[in-house]
Structure formats: C-alpha cells, structure tokens
Amino acid sequence: MSYHDRYIEMGSGPAVVFSHGTLMDATMFDPQLVNLAGRLYRPIACNSRVLTGEPAPHTLGDLVEDCRALLDDLGIEKCVLAGMSVGGLMALEFALAYPERLQGLIVIAATSLAYTAEEREQYHRAFGQLDVDGMVPRAFAEWVAPYCFGTTTLAENRELVDHWIERWTTTVPARAVLYQGRSWIDKEDITARLATVRVPALVIHGEEDVPIPIDRALPMVDALPDATLARIPRAGHSVNLEAHQMVNQAIARFLGNFDLP
C-alpha cells in the first residue's frame, strides 16, 4: 500500500479511482481498496483539497480539476472513476468535462438533481455552524451522524458510527466541512446533460439514505445511456461502509462486464 496526503493506492492493474463524501476522507474506501487490489486492480482513493492543505472555498469544478491533475500526476490516461456523495457529484461533472479520460463511472449515494430552495436554506444554515476554528464540534458530529448512516447501521453497528464521529471531531477541520458543503449545496440540475455520457455507469444507493433518498437517484439512472442500479438494503448514505460486502460485489460485477487494459 502507498499512502500520501493526497491519496491511498493499492495493487496494480487497471485504475479505479475513488473520491469521498463530505466529512469523510480517503480511508472510507478501505473496504473497496482491499477488495479490488485482491482482484488485480489498481484502486486509488484520493483526499479532497480541504484535507490536504488550508481549507478554502471551492467548487465542484475545482474538484474535477483536482481529479484530472491527480490522474496526470499518476500517469493514468483512463480510469474507472467512483465517487460517493460530493465525490459522486464530482464524478458526474468529470464525466461531462473529460469523457476521454473514463472507462467507466460509479456513482455512490449521489444525485444529478438540484436541491430545493428549502433544502439549500437548511443546508446553508446547518453548515454555517462550522465557520469556527478547530475540528468539527462534537454536537455537530452527533447531529449529522443519522444523516450519514442508515437506521440499521445506527442500531446494529454503533462501532462504525462512533469511529467516524471520533474521526470527525479529532482530525477534520470544521471549515473543511463548511467548504465541502458549500461546493454542492447550490449545485445545478445536470440530469438532461447526462445523455452525453457514453461509458458504462453503475449507480449504488442505500435504501435507507436520508439526505438523498433513493428516488432522487432514479432520474440519474434513467438519464445515463448505459446505467445499472444497485439498490442496497439496510444501508444509508455511507453505503459503501455500511454494506461493504454487497457494494464490493456490485462493483466486481460491474467491472467484470467490460475489458480494461
């Protein structure tokens, strides 16, 4: 395994690049990296810019350029790009901006739809609490956990929830999360533009997802020309952590459907 501030890398073979969600970091993909490395792929999980330097305002477009730069630095001409939550929003934008760099697309716990005016107001108010020095306040971490994890996980896998609450409150700067949130709260509806995406796509979504209910992923599935939906029961927004075995199986099936160099 190779670990850098910018990314974690395992294995060798065709590249599968992962981009994490708000509050999270590259380690959230550990179950996928271990699994894919064992299947002779080269999985790479990257850290968002707000975790590798001084947190600063940025856009989804900035995250797209960060991803392109990482591929360039690692000498990766094409990859399967996988993103969770804001990472999934970035992956969709990447597919529109740099289609020639992709062999496949995996969208986890994300939507191509815009948020409603009421949702945008609520999110801005909630994330506005994080314009403070230091790490994510524990009160915010406890409040947001039921949005990040499904009801089954909250009831049956408290160890996983507590691990991330501890990580948020001890290693994640509050303003990093503030700027992560602001990068997607006012995002546009890009559903109609997805018809131009020509690579196979896998959409993975937990049936207990609170911030993005699975119904809000369905228009994206319909709009993508070659998309498969993997509905994951008993899992919420952090579906790749909550039900990693089912998610790993879905990814393996997807990757096995087409030849990668």
Side-chain angles (χ1 to χ4, degrees):
M1 179 179 72
S2 174
Y3 180 82
H4 303 264
D5 287 342
R6 289 175 68 197
Y7 63 91
I8 305 170
E9 180 177 13
M10 291 186 186
S12 61
V16 185
V17 178
F18 292 86
S19 179
H20 64 78
T22 304
L23 279 161
M24 299 303 205
D25 57 52
T27 66
M28 79 169 303
F29 296 113
D30 282 353
Q32 286 70 54
L33 268 59
V34 171
N35 183 265
L36 288 175
R39 295 176 180 271
L40 303 181
Y41 290 93
R42 179 190 179 189
I44 299 161
C46 54
N47 275 320
S48 174
R49 60 168 56 196
V50 294
L51 300 177
T52 59
E54 188 68 25
H58 61 277
T59 66
L60 289 175
D62 292 328
L63 298 181
V64 168
E65 292 305 314
D66 290 348
C67 183
R68 179 200 55 76
L70 180 62
L71 295 184
D72 290 348
D73 291 346
L74 294 178
I76 299 171
E77 293 185 7
K78 289 190 174 186
C79 72
V80 174
L81 180 59
M84 178 268 177
S85 195
V86 65
L89 307 182
M90 182 282 293
L92 290 169
E93 296 282 359
F94 190 100
L96 297 172
Y98 296 107
E100 73 281 1
R101 304 298 297 268
L102 294 187
Q103 296 161 308
L105 182 66
I106 302 174
V107 183
I108 305 169
T111 177
S112 60
L113 301 175
Y115 292 99
T116 66
E118 181 180 4
E119 287 171 330
R120 292 196 298 270
E121 180 182 353
Q122 291 173 344
Y123 279 132
H124 277 301
R125 185 167 57 249
F127 281 86
Q129 303 173 56
L130 299 175
D131 193 10
V132 296
D133 295 333
M135 302 299 124
V136 171
R138 179 161 289 273
F140 183 90
E142 296 281 358
W143 170 81
V144 81
Y147 289 87
C148 293
F149 299 97
T151 54
T152 299
T153 299
L154 290 166
E156 300 180 5
N157 192 0
R158 190 68 203 188
E159 182 179 357
L160 176 65
V161 179
D162 289 343
H163 165 81
W164 283 99
I165 289 176
E166 183 68 16
R167 195 164 182 87
W168 298 335
T169 56
T170 58
T171 69
V172 181
R175 287 194 179 91
V177 180
L178 169 65
Y179 295 134
Q180 285 175 340
R182 286 180 177 173
S183 74
W184 53 258
I185 292 173
D186 296 316
K187 77 183 189 73
E188 297 179 353
D189 185 331
I190 62 170
T191 307
R193 299 173 59 200
L194 298 182
T196 64
V197 176
R198 296 304 176 193
V199 295
L202 172 65
V203 175
I204 300 174
H205 218 95
E207 293 183 348
E208 296 179 0
D209 195 316
V210 172
I212 305 179
I214 195 167
D215 287 349
R216 299 188 72 169
L218 300 183
M220 175 176 62
V221 177
D222 293 337
L224 287 163
D226 183 8
T228 301
L229 173 64
R231 302 177 64 112
I232 308 298
R234 296 167 56 84
H237 196 57
S238 301
V239 58
N240 66 292
L241 284 167
E242 298 176 65
H244 60 86
Q245 291 181 334
M246 293 187 67
V247 170
N248 289 349
Q249 291 168 1
I251 292 175
R253 286 194 300 268
F254 174 68
L255 295 177
N257 286 336
F258 51 100
D259 294 329
L260 295 175

